[in-house]
């Protein structure tokens, strides 16, 4: 190699590393997803006319996803338990898009009532003829110590987040295999990648989803046109904290705290649409420092665990002292 090339490399490599570092500091998603959002297909061009079933569409991420999908021209099935809230979301979808009323089906559904899932899926097929995308988004989180949480809470978390999602997926999958294409997009969490204190059951249910769908993707490798995508958001503005399971099944959380530190719901939904449009298998959607934690946990697990331990201890102490565990925990992370 001649001297000029070596000199150029000497300057170019550190410059590229600096650019990557600068991008990473302001990143709110993993590099694959950011690449897709910069250079990939636009959701608007790909989702028009598609039939998309969104569970958990009555609030938070699912609600916002419904609005953005409607703007893209997708036909929608909106599911959750609260029919009045789903009708409100439908009205807003119609206001913000060119869709006709019969392009949006409100389909009340309890993910924990697995015996109803076959009939619900039939109702969707009867209305639209087929399903292009299933977004497994409905779910609840947890805020309680493992030593205090009742086993019923663990059962409910697994029934809802894991078995409910698997059950709907098993109903929809044969249709997608028959039609030879489709997408199953499942909202896991960064809790599906790492350990999170005060959420042992929630974290277990999201790890279970990761295991199920990562294995299913391999089983379906002979059906390359069926996308199995996992979405791992960090903290996002929604009703999730208000709806958490505590130590007892029907005991509400005393104070949900503020959500200032969280990612806007619209940004999370947009990145999800970009990911599903571009066939991304796993999406990490999170602001810093949580995105950094994902990378550390994945690529340097010992160091990732060390960092999580120190902040996790603080989170547990705040919770035990009756403080808002999340806000003080996140403030500490943000300022560190
Ligand atoms: N927000 C975050 O920070 C965050 C981070 C990582 C992952 N996530 C995941 O994102 C997904 C959406 O949560 P979100 O943050 O948007 O919270 P959310 O605002 O509380 O929304 C949860 C949705 O799930 C539905 N749901 C709850 N129990 C259900 C059941 N038994 N059957 C059917 N639907 C049910 C709720 O509707 P009904 O009450 O009307 O049934 C609601 O529409 C969840 O899977 C959550 O784990 C959220």
């Amino acid at each position: 190699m001649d001297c000029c090339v070596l000199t150029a490399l000497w300057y170019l490599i550190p410059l590229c590393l600096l650019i990557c570092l600068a991008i990473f500091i302001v990143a709110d998603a993993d590099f694959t997803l950011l690449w897709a959002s910069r250079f990939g297909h636009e959701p608007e061009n790909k989702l028009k006319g598609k039939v998309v079933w969104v569970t958990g569409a009555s609030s938070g991420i699912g609600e916002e996803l419904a609005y953005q999908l409607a703007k893209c021209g997708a036909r929608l099935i909106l599911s959750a338990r609260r029919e009045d809230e789903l009708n409100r979301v439908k009205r807003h979808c119609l206001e913000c898009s060119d869709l006709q009323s019969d392009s949006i089906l409100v389909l009340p559904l309890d993910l924990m009532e697995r015996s109803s899932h076959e009939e619900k899926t039939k109702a969707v097929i009867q209305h639209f003829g087929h399903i292009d995308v299933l977004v497994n988004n409905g779910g609840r989180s947890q805020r309680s110590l493992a030593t205090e949480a009742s086993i019923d809470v663990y059962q409910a978390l697994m029934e809802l987040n894991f078995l409910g999602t698997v059950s709907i997926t098993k109903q929809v999958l044969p249709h997608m295999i028959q039609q030879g294409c489709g997408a199953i997009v499942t909202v896991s969490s960064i809790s599906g990648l790492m350990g999170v204190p005060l959420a042992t059951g929630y974290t277990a249910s999201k790890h279970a989803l990761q295991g199920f769908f990562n294995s299913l993707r391999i089983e379906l490798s002979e059906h390359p046109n069926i996308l199995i995508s996992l979405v791992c958001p960090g903290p996002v503005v929604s009703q999730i904290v208000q709806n958490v399971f505590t130590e007892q099944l029907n005991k509400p959380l005393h104070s949900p705290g503020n959500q200032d530190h969280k990612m806007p719901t619209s940004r999370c939904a947009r990145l999800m649409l970009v990911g599903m449009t571009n066939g991304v298998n796993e999406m990490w959607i999170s602001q810093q420092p949580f995105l950094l934690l994902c990378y550390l946990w994945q690529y340097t697990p010992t160091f990732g665990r060390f960092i999580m331990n120190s902040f996790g201890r603080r989170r547990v102490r705040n919770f035990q002292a009756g403080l808002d565990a999340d806000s003080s925990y996140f403030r500490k992370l943000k300022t560190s």
Side-chain angles (χ1 to χ4, degrees), residues 20-286:
C20 287
L21 184 66
I23 293 172
F24 187 66
I25 287 169
V26 294
D28 58 4
D30 65 85
F31 280 117
T32 311
L33 189 52
L34 287 180
W35 182 271
S37 74
R38 184 79 184 80
F39 302 108
H41 302 289
E42 291 287 327
E44 286 73 9
N45 300 334
K46 290 274 176 179
L47 291 167
K48 193 172 169 53
K50 297 280 183 215
V51 176
V52 185
W53 187 359
V54 183
T55 69
S58 62
S59 72
I61 296 171
E63 175 179 354
E64 179 61 35
L65 207 56
Y67 300 149
Q68 294 196 21
L69 283 162
K71 285 180 194 161
C72 292
R75 292 174 288 165
L76 295 171
I77 304 100
L78 304 177
S79 287
R81 289 166 304 173
R82 291 169 297 165
E83 191 170 2
D84 48 340
E85 289 301 305
L86 293 175
N87 282 320
R88 175 185 61 78
V89 174
K90 175 174 176 173
R91 278 195 299 277
H92 191 76
C93 285
L94 293 173
E95 279 163 23
C96 71
S97 71
D98 298 330
L99 293 176
Q100 302 296 312
S101 183
D102 65 353
S103 296
I104 304 181
L105 175 66
V106 163
L107 187 71
L109 164 89
D110 189 335
L111 282 166
M112 293 171 87
E113 281 179 15
R114 295 201 294 276
S115 57
S116 70
H117 294 175
E118 185 179 356
E119 170 211 327
K120 299 284 177 181
T121 309
K122 278 188 182 149
V124 174
I125 303 283
Q126 199 174 353
H127 190 88
F128 287 112
H130 71 287
I131 302 166
D132 293 302
V133 183
L134 168 66
V135 183
N136 285 315
N137 167 72
R140 286 174 68 183
S141 188
Q142 178 190 11
R143 185 68 61 76
S144 49
L145 288 163
T147 46
E148 291 168 4
S150 136
I151 197 72
D152 297 341
V153 167
Y154 288 90
Q155 182 171 3
L157 280 160
M158 291 307 283
E159 292 273 350
L160 171 56
N161 294 348
F162 179 59
L163 291 175
T165 300
V166 169
S167 168
I168 287 288
T169 300
K170 277 175 64 60
Q171 292 299 331
V172 170
L173 194 53
H175 296 280
M176 290 191 176
I177 290 175
Q178 202 181 1
Q179 74 195 7
C181 61
I184 298 180
V185 179
T186 301
V187 184
S188 171
S189 165
I190 61 168
S191 307
L193 306 171
M194 61 181 82
V196 178
L198 304 178
T200 46
Y202 176 70
T203 301
S205 69
K206 294 297 186 180
H207 273 71
L209 285 177
Q210 295 280 133
F212 177 85
F213 284 101
N214 278 325
S215 309
L216 178 65
R217 189 184 301 114
I218 303 169
E219 281 189 19
L220 291 175
S221 53
E222 282 182 12
H223 303 276
N225 293 327
I226 299 180
L227 171 72
I228 302 293
S229 184
L230 281 158
V231 185
C232 301
V236 175
V237 175
S238 76
Q239 300 293 307
I240 195 162
V241 184
Q242 285 89 327
N243 295 329
V244 289
F245 287 105
T246 59
E247 5 13 298
Q248 297 298 330
L249 268 188
N250 295 315
K251 186 178 165 199
L253 190 70
H254 56 85
S255 156
N258 83 47
Q259 304 215 357
D260 295 349
H261 54 276
K262 297 187 176 183
M263 175 187 270
T265 330
S266 55
R267 176 65 180 160
C268 177
R270 175 70 194 176
L271 286 168
M272 283 173 68
L273 292 192
V274 167
M276 69 174 87
T277 305
N278 288 282
V280 178
N281 283 336
E282 184 164 305
M283 315 173 207
W284 297 353
I285 300 177
S286 181

